[in-house]
Amino acid sequence: MFRRYAVLAALLFSSLLLLSGCGGNQPTAQDRFKSFTKAWQKQDFSTMYQFLSSKSQKSVSKSAFVDRYERIYSGIEAGKLNVTIRKSDDKEKKSVPFTATLETVAGPVRFSQKASMTQEPRNDKENWYLNWTPSLILPGMTGDDKVRVHTSPAKRGEIADRNGRPLAMNGNAARIDIVPGQLPTGADREKTLNQLSKLLGVPREQIDSALKQSWVKADSLVPVRTVNASDLDLIKKATQLPGIYKTNTASRIYPDKQASAHLTGYVGKITAELLKAHPNEGYSENSYIGRTGLELLFEKQLRQQDGAEIVLTDAAGNEKATIASKEAKDGQNIQLTIDKDVQDSLYSQLQKESGTATAINPKTGDILGLVSAPSYDPNDFVLGISPDAYNKLQKDPKKPLLNRFTAASAPGSTFKPFTAAVALSHQAIDPNQSVAISGSRWQKDKSWGDYYVTRLDHDPNVNLREALFRSDNIYFAQTALKIGAKNFAADSKKYGFGESLPIPYAFRKSTLSGDGKLASETLLANSGYGQGEVSVNPLHMSLIYSAFVNNGSLIKPRLLMSDEAPEMWKKNVMSPDTAKLIHNDLIQVIDNPAGTARDAKINGLPLAGKTGTPEFKQKQGENGRENGWFVAYNTDDPKLLVTMIVENTQDRGGSHAVTPKVKAVFQKYFNK
């Protein structure tokens, strides 16, 4: 009896072992290959090695496995990997068929394989392991094969002005190199390296570190810094030192330098953060990418696609097969509506100021100039700006890195023609009626408390024309109240307030107030003459003024050259009669002896325009910061409309610091 129970117990124990070995919790060969694939997709070759069968691990050490495939995948710039496991026709389920697509420097590599799996015990547990062959992760590769990558560089697209003159181009820079074996010895060596460090603005520690790199030999060219090829004096001084040489190297060049810096922007070496933000787009750690301005905005169009070919060779170097290939593709050239002459003229007037200017053709919408000052040289950023130089730019109180032409701010009295147009559209005023205004201060009633609207001109009777050329704040504060907050806010939207401008460049939206409403009478009154919370970007202001020469419609701006007919952005925002009336009044701002822009008058070139001097004060009656604005356009066959802002003009006559500058731009453009 005991013997029978012993036999039954043994059978039961064997059954339990069998069940535990074949239970539902044991992974299949397919499950194990899926786990291997997860490590493969991460290019985690160390973990991948753990999935190899014992026989495979005996044929290659872990360090050799990891080192080989990391180098291969790095060399081919392996990226995203997609693996699809197919249905197996293997009855014993010891192989796993799959298809894979691997992104590389030469394009996608697609291949189909069968992964051979074997079951073996390891660490007191039986599991499935992979019988390794290199062709599993790169088609056709065997144990002794090597991988070569041949590259064919392409060119980045260039940026040119309307006449084909380059604003961003491909050229050469000068790389300053050290040949270690030709350096003097002892104290003379120290003296040479210290002189080079000072000349190039490169820390001595950085030079020493470069010379200590493992690949450096006596006859190596060791790069120290790349400088502008036009900096001949610096290059001459550097290469006169023993062991120092110049090597020409390809570089992005910005020939217009500071004048167009904020417009073009610049390219720079891609960072780890940017590389992460652009996965599987063909960028590598050695890539350059648009960092600011048009270089960033049109990165996809400008970017070149270098050609590449991945070739498999045998141990002797004989080519066996081409795994993938991609032809080189140059970037797309971009031609702007910008006129380099206008751009440079605007910058020459502003280069000693803090300010901005835009220029357009008011009949076509072509943007002829976009300038921000002070500025910087974008070539410095491409070549590798030193930390000290960059910190100096960042800490400069004038903020040369700030792009001012995309910003919006209080326009002051340049906003009055807008107020006039809205008032006439609602018949809130009679343009010919004189309004009696007493003195230089006015308030609607005592409910305004200590707040008054002030004006500089004391003319006791003012109509619309006089209010514009004399720039009477009280007249336009009263006009805004006659329009009413609801109508004023609603009409501002018709002119594009609160909207993005219809061009591929990020300008700050113009706003009438913080919330788009005019909640108080004093805010409404202040808004009538461009103060309060009104904020307008200079390009938008130019478009508003374009309505005065386009029968009441705002021209649609364009930054890229086009053969298409000009379009209107906002149609019929005012009647043609209103546009003509205000246009004629704006001529008086310059032609009338009492006009605020009389110093901008040019004999033989009639202009129309409006000045503005927005004030930034903590309290009414106090002295504070002022900006000067001037918007002007030529009236006979209008071809140029300029909006210029100069900051901190409080001690220079406000807008009178701007009018001579705009006048000079018109004189140069029309050769007057």
Side-chain angles (χ1 to χ4, degrees):
M1 178 68 75
F2 175 77
R3 187 175 181 181
R4 181 187 301 170
Y5 282 124
V7 171
L8 287 171
L11 288 171
L12 179 60
F13 183 70
S14 298
S15 298
L16 288 172
L17 284 176
L18 185 63
L19 286 170
S20 65
C22 302
N25 292 328
Q26 184 180 9
T28 64
Q30 191 176 87
D31 292 333
R32 286 287 283 173
F33 186 72
K34 284 181 180 178
S35 297
F36 170 83
T37 296
K38 289 180 180 179
W40 182 13
Q41 288 174 323
K42 296 177 182 177
Q43 297 183 28
D44 183 356
F45 295 103
S46 180
T47 300
M48 290 165 64
Y49 185 80
Q50 305 305 319
F51 286 89
L52 269 58
S53 66
S54 298
K55 182 178 179 181
S56 296
Q57 289 185 347
K58 286 179 182 178
S59 67
V60 59
S61 69
K62 182 178 180 179
S63 61
F65 179 89
V66 172
D67 180 65
R68 183 187 189 200
Y69 297 111
E70 279 185 348
R71 281 190 293 106
I72 289 173
Y73 265 40
S74 175
I76 66 174
E77 296 181 21
K80 186 177 180 181
L81 170 70
N82 287 316
V83 178
T84 303
I85 296 175
R86 305 196 313 271
K87 186 176 180 181
S88 176
D89 57 2
D90 178 6
K91 294 181 180 180
E92 296 183 10
K93 298 183 178 179
K94 290 185 177 181
S95 64
V96 181
F98 69 92
T99 57
T101 303
L102 176 66
E103 296 294 336
T104 73
V105 67
V109 177
R110 299 180 178 88
F111 55 103
S112 298
Q113 292 285 0
K114 275 188 179 181
S116 172
M117 309 292 288
T118 186
Q119 211 170 16
E120 60 181 58
R122 193 179 293 181
N123 300 325
D124 298 325
K125 185 179 180 181
E126 194 164 89
N127 215 328
W128 290 96
Y129 292 90
L130 183 64
N131 294 315
W132 179 252
T133 173
S135 62
L136 285 171
I137 62 169
L138 213 56
M141 188 166 65
T142 62
D144 296 327
D145 287 345
K146 297 178 180 179
V147 177
R148 289 180 182 169
V149 178
H150 304 299
T151 59
S152 49
K155 294 180 180 179
R156 186 174 177 86
E158 298 186 329
I159 303 173
D161 85 336
R162 65 188 300 109
N163 297 308
R165 291 171 293 188
L167 298 174
M169 60 184 289
N170 302 311
N172 288 313
R175 194 184 72 204
I176 306 300
D177 300 325
I178 298 174
V179 178
Q182 295 186 25
L183 286 172
T185 58
D188 288 340
R189 182 181 188 275
E190 292 300 301
K191 182 180 178 182
T192 296
L193 295 180
N194 286 334
Q195 286 178 310
L196 185 65
S197 170
K198 187 176 180 180
L199 263 177
L200 300 181
V202 176
R204 175 61 195 277
E205 297 79 13
Q206 185 176 322
I207 295 175
D208 292 339
S209 178
L211 291 171
K212 290 176 182 176
Q213 295 176 95
S214 59
W215 58 268
V216 174
K217 297 178 181 179
D219 59 350
S220 297
L221 283 170
V222 182
V224 179
R225 188 184 167 196
T226 303
V227 300
N228 197 314
S230 64
D231 198 342
L232 301 178
D233 185 55
L234 174 64
I235 295 168
K236 182 179 179 180
K237 288 178 180 177
T239 53
Q240 283 177 341
L241 296 171
I244 311 302
Y245 292 86
K246 181 199 83 168
T247 303
N248 289 330
T249 182
S251 179
R252 193 69 162 174
I253 305 295
Y254 301 98
D256 209 28
K257 299 182 179 179
Q258 287 89 343
S260 296
H262 293 92
L263 174 63
T264 60
Y266 56 85
V267 298
K269 194 85 173 284
I270 199 167
T271 62
E273 292 78 13
L274 286 172
L275 199 56
K276 188 176 181 181
H278 295 273
N280 310 309
E281 294 182 23
Y283 292 103
S284 72
E285 59 185 13
N286 296 316
S287 295
Y288 279 75
I289 190 171
R291 301 294 295 273
T292 63
L294 295 174
E295 291 279 29
L296 170 61
L297 182 66
F298 292 113
E299 169 65 16
K300 288 185 179 179
Q301 294 93 324
L302 293 166
R303 181 192 169 198
Q304 75 275 29
Q305 301 286 340
D306 291 341
E309 185 180 40
I310 300 174
V311 177
L312 201 62
T313 72
D314 60 23
N318 300 310
E319 293 189 2
K320 292 175 56 178
T322 297
I323 295 175
S325 64
K326 181 178 70 174
E327 290 186 2
K329 184 180 178 182
D330 291 340
Q332 176 185 333
N333 292 332
I334 290 175
Q335 187 172 18
L336 307 176
T337 57
I338 295 292
D339 185 325
K340 183 176 177 294
D341 289 338
V342 174
Q343 184 81 4
D344 293 349
S345 180
L346 293 171
Y347 183 72
S348 70
Q349 295 299 319
L350 286 172
Q351 59 183 330
K352 295 181 181 180
E353 303 280 359
S354 294
T356 184
T358 67
I360 68 169
N361 181 320
K363 301 295 287 185
T364 66
D366 286 357
I367 299 173
L368 304 176
L370 290 170
V371 166
S372 179
S375 189
Y376 62 90
D377 189 345
N379 295 291
D380 293 341
F381 285 82
V382 179
L383 301 174
I385 191 168
S386 70
D388 287 345
Y390 183 68
N391 287 335
K392 186 177 180 181
L393 287 172
Q394 273 198 318
K395 293 177 180 178
D396 189 326
K398 290 187 175 181
K399 300 181 179 179
L401 296 177
L402 176 66
N403 187 342
R404 287 170 163 85
F405 66 69
T406 61
S409 63
S413 295
T414 58
F415 196 64
K416 289 172 180 174
F418 167 84
T419 302
V422 174
L424 291 169
S425 296
H426 289 279
Q427 298 180 336
I429 60 171
D430 179 346
N432 298 312
Q433 181 181 349
S434 292
V435 177
I437 300 174
S438 177
S440 59
R441 297 200 316 165
W442 172 84
Q443 61 177 193
K444 180 186 174 185
D445 52 42
K446 296 299 181 182
S447 67
W448 284 17
D450 294 333
Y451 184 78
Y452 289 82
V453 176
T454 62
R455 64 174 182 167
L456 295 177
D457 201 307
H458 292 192
D459 194 357
N461 294 288
V462 185
N463 63 17
L464 176 60
R465 173 171 294 191
E466 291 166 337
L468 280 169
F469 73 69
R470 293 179 184 276
S471 202
D472 192 309
N473 289 346
I474 295 176
Y475 180 93
F476 284 99
Q478 293 178 351
T479 298
L481 294 177
K482 292 173 183 175
I483 296 168
K486 186 176 180 181
N487 288 335
F488 206 83
D491 276 31
S492 71
K493 294 179 181 178
K494 297 178 182 178
Y495 285 76
F497 280 75
E499 285 186 40
S500 298
L501 297 183
I503 60 169
Y505 208 108
F507 284 79
R508 180 73 64 87
K509 295 177 182 178
S510 299
T511 54
L512 193 60
S513 67
D515 59 5
K517 300 177 182 179
L518 297 167
S520 69
E521 284 187 333
T522 54
L523 181 59
L524 174 58
N526 279 334
S527 301
Y529 55 96
Q531 291 279 173
E533 297 177 5
V534 178
S535 183
V536 185
N537 74 62
L539 178 57
H540 191 182
M541 184 61 80
S542 297
L543 302 178
I544 292 172
Y545 275 66
S546 75
F548 304 131
V549 297
N550 288 313
N551 294 315
S553 295
L554 273 63
I555 195 72
K556 183 178 181 179
R558 53 189 185 187
L559 187 56
L560 301 179
M561 285 294 287
S562 172
D563 293 330
E564 296 180 4
E567 297 179 50
M568 294 300 161
W569 176 38
K570 300 293 180 181
K571 296 180 180 179
N572 305 318
V573 295
M574 66 184 80
S575 71
D577 287 343
T578 293
K580 184 177 181 181
L581 186 149
I582 296 176
H583 165 78
N584 289 332
D585 289 352
L586 294 180
I587 293 173
Q588 293 304 307
V589 174
I590 296 162
D591 278 2
N592 194 292
T596 56
R598 58 193 176 279
D599 51 353
K601 185 175 177 61
I602 302 171
N603 292 329
L605 183 66
L607 301 179
K610 184 71 188 77
T611 57
T613 308
E615 300 175 344
F616 304 88
K617 301 177 180 179
Q618 295 296 322
K619 188 177 180 181
Q620 189 174 24
E622 293 181 349
N623 292 326
R625 184 171 66 85
E626 295 178 355
N627 288 346
W629 283 61
F630 186 35
V631 185
Y633 57 90
N634 72 296
T635 59
D636 294 345
D637 187 18
K639 291 181 179 178
L640 182 65
L641 190 158
V642 174
T643 299
M644 183 177 287
I645 308 168
V646 175
E647 299 174 8
N648 301 310
T649 59
Q650 56 273 10
D651 298 321
R652 295 184 286 163
S655 61
H656 290 291
V658 190
T659 46
K661 297 178 183 297
V662 174
K663 177 181 179 179
V665 172
F666 276 93
Q667 286 175 317
K668 186 168 185 180
Y669 186 80
F670 289 99
N671 296 313
K672 293 293 184 179

